[in-house]
Amino acid sequence: MNRLGSRFAVLLIMLATMPLAARAVTIHINHGYGHKFPIAIVPFKGEKAWPQNLRPSVVIAKDLDGSGWFNVLPSRDYLANPHHDRQVEGHFNDWRLLKAAGLLIGHIERQPNGRINVAFRLYDVNKGAQLKALQYVVAPDQLRAVGNTIANIVYQHWTGVRGVFNTRIAFITMYRDGPPGHFFYKLEVADAEGHGVHVILRSHEPIMSPRWSPHGRRLTYVSFATGWPAVYVQDVATGHIRRVAAFHGLNGAPSFAPDGTHLALSLSKTGYPEIYVMNLVTGRLRQLTFGPSINTEPSWSPHGGHIVFTSNRSGGPQIYEMTADGDHKRRLTFRGRYNAGASFSPNGKWLTLVSRRAGQYHAAVFELADSTLEILTATSLDDSPTFAPNGQEILYSTVVGGHRVLATVSLNGRGRRILGLRGGDVTDPAWSPFRHP
């Protein structure tokens, strides 16, 4: 399925082939410069026996460096043997000469019972003081997760914000299957770095628009399994699938309410696509938008009081907001002819969206307080941006080397990375909430 800039473009293609009953902003470009916290992450003693992608120091360095807030200093400049306390606490001046403000050292050791002991120490170089000293005993398949956990500790200590390195992402992978125009689709879940991929759903028909429930236990998505788009809710752990919307016409763009008991979605069962809210317990629908225009891509505010959505009621796709009962509709974006696919940041202060500028589609953020729009990416075919649960990064789909891949950009624009997913074109990312017990 061709995706040009946003799911809104996909919707226009679908509508063209679907029988219907009736047919003040300033823009800035963020170049990504600014101060990053300099930290030395010493290779953990004993980790060379493990594959590169499982070594704690490698995992931690990649997490922090990609966040946009840290500058991980090159290991070639480190002290000869900084694994022991006496090699650290007696040589803080040497680390200061390297411009390191933070220092992380550790060791890894396999126990007789096969479990792995991972220990680390975190130092404030400027103060010459130890900040943290923790130890984990885990199964070998949890080694990467431990590295992410340590990265979360370091990240939160110096930013004051909870780290997201142990969260998950959902996405669609599209594979070419047979003759030209034939594809195979997978709905998949992985960790925030794209490792540990787990297949949730396989289909020879398109899957799109996955979104997480508030506690991260369910996914809602659109599937064409029956030949026509329908909305489903699936339990991630058990695989249980429930079809919740299969009306005549378009059924698309589902989004969980913060209470987890309602879905906002776009339905064209009465003609043009309109925004509805569905009670998942009773199945009852409430229509929120009315009129001869396309209304789609609803997304809830963090506390559930408002919904933003994409509408072409003003001529081209723009972002609108309304209260959760459909009242007090207002247009939010005014500059540019294409702004679509918006969703809220966890603190409710920002929206991320796709904005077209000079014919190119970019991931952007819109600050609600002063209506400023900031372009965060230099790529040209970005799609489906979604906030990390701490609000500090945005995950999106883009084109690199002729293939769709997933990428992240930090809210400050300083951190950009491509996720190492392989095997097909990757689209429609959704970042999970923090895990709950």
Side-chain angles (χ1 to χ4, degrees):
M1 179 171 289
N2 187 22
R3 297 171 186 271
L4 297 177
S6 170
R7 291 181 302 262
F8 196 88
V10 178
L11 176 61
L12 292 177
I13 295 171
M14 292 164 57
L15 288 173
T17 60
M18 184 176 295
L20 296 177
R23 292 245 343 144
V25 178
T26 303
I27 296 179
H28 305 283
I29 302 297
N30 190 315
H31 296 284
Y33 301 117
H35 176 72
K36 298 181 182 182
F37 184 83
I39 185 170
I41 301 175
V42 177
F44 280 31
K45 186 176 182 180
E47 72 175 9
K48 285 186 178 180
W50 294 88
Q52 187 84 2
N53 68 332
L54 297 181
R55 296 176 187 177
S57 71
V58 174
V59 174
I60 298 163
K62 188 174 182 181
D63 284 346
L64 296 179
D65 204 45
S67 74
W69 295 102
F70 291 83
N71 176 28
V72 179
L73 302 177
S75 59
R76 64 178 177 270
D77 298 332
Y78 293 175
L79 302 176
N81 183 24
H83 292 294
H84 301 289
D85 291 346
R86 64 179 180 274
Q87 294 286 348
V88 174
E89 294 174 354
H91 295 83
F92 281 117
N93 283 334
D94 293 336
W95 292 107
R96 293 185 190 109
L97 288 174
L98 295 178
K99 307 299 183 183
L103 172 66
L104 182 73
I105 67 171
H107 71 262
I108 176 173
E109 184 179 15
R110 186 186 292 272
Q111 297 184 335
N113 62 2
R115 294 178 70 80
I116 311 300
N117 178 59
V118 182
F120 77 92
R121 293 177 183 270
L122 180 64
Y123 295 88
D124 185 318
V125 173
N126 293 326
K127 294 180 180 178
Q130 179 178 292
L131 301 172
K132 301 276 186 182
L134 293 173
Q135 178 175 292
Y136 302 91
V137 179
V138 299
D141 61 358
Q142 295 176 306
L143 188 55
R144 182 176 180 83
V146 168
N148 290 329
T149 298
I150 297 171
N152 284 334
I153 292 170
V154 177
Y155 182 93
Q156 185 163 4
H157 178 82
W158 268 295
T159 67
V161 177
R162 188 174 177 182
V164 297
F165 307 119
N166 273 332
T167 56
R168 296 173 292 173
I169 59 174
F171 50 91
I172 307 299
T173 306
M174 182 176 69
Y175 303 85
R176 285 167 178 81
D177 183 30
H182 288 254
F183 300 96
F184 185 74
Y185 302 84
K186 291 182 182 179
L187 169 58
E188 300 179 296
V189 170
D191 70 20
E193 289 290 326
H195 294 272
V197 176
H198 174 62
V199 179
I200 301 297
L201 183 68
R202 296 175 173 88
S203 177
H204 284 284
E205 300 298 333
I207 311 168
M208 59 193 304
S209 305
R211 289 294 178 266
W212 292 90
S213 67
H215 288 81
R217 300 189 184 103
R218 295 175 293 166
L219 283 166
T220 183
Y221 54 85
V222 177
S223 171
F224 286 67
T226 62
W228 215 246
V231 175
Y232 297 80
V233 173
Q234 182 166 345
D235 188 288
V236 174
T238 68
H240 178 264
I241 299 175
R242 175 188 171 197
R243 190 173 70 177
V244 297
F247 300 100
H248 174 75
L250 173 72
N251 301 270
S255 174
F256 275 104
D259 66 4
T261 65
H262 293 77
L263 278 184
L265 65 168
S266 180
L267 305 174
S268 65
K269 65 190 188 72
T270 60
Y272 285 92
E274 304 287 3
I275 306 298
Y276 291 78
V277 169
M278 172 182 285
N279 185 315
L280 290 173
V281 177
T282 65
R284 183 178 178 182
L285 283 172
R286 179 173 184 180
Q287 186 173 346
L288 302 186
T289 62
F290 303 84
S293 58
I294 297 173
N295 300 288
T296 187
E297 299 177 326
S299 184
W300 300 78
S301 65
H303 298 293
H306 292 82
I307 294 174
V308 292
F309 62 101
T310 305
S311 178
N312 69 346
R313 62 186 62 195
S314 58
Q318 297 292 342
I319 306 302
Y320 289 78
E321 183 184 46
M322 60 184 166
T323 56
D325 58 6
D327 291 336
H328 306 293
K329 296 178 181 68
R330 66 184 183 113
R331 181 175 168 179
L332 296 180
T333 54
F334 287 88
R335 186 73 175 270
R337 296 183 178 180
Y338 188 107
N339 295 288
S343 59
F344 280 92
S345 63
N347 64 9
K349 295 181 179 180
W350 302 81
L351 299 175
T352 184
L353 54 96
V354 172
S355 184
R356 186 175 66 197
R357 181 179 174 86
Q360 298 184 331
Y361 297 85
H362 302 286
V365 288
F366 180 84
E367 188 170 7
L368 290 162
D370 58 9
S371 297
T372 56
L373 182 68
E374 184 175 9
I375 304 296
L376 292 180
T377 62
T379 41
S380 60
L381 282 171
D382 302 338
D383 190 21
S384 306
T386 172
F387 270 105
N390 67 357
Q392 298 302 305
E393 285 187 90
I394 291 168
L395 174 69
Y396 61 101
S397 173
T398 191
V399 174
V400 175
H403 294 281
R404 278 225 161 257
V405 299
L406 298 189
T408 66
V409 59
S410 59
L411 188 59
N412 62 12
R414 300 172 192 163
R416 299 187 179 98
R417 57 196 169 97
I418 304 295
L419 273 63
L421 295 162
R422 303 177 181 226
D425 288 311
V426 190
T427 65
D428 289 65
W431 210 318
S432 78
F434 289 114
R435 297 195 188 201
H436 293 266

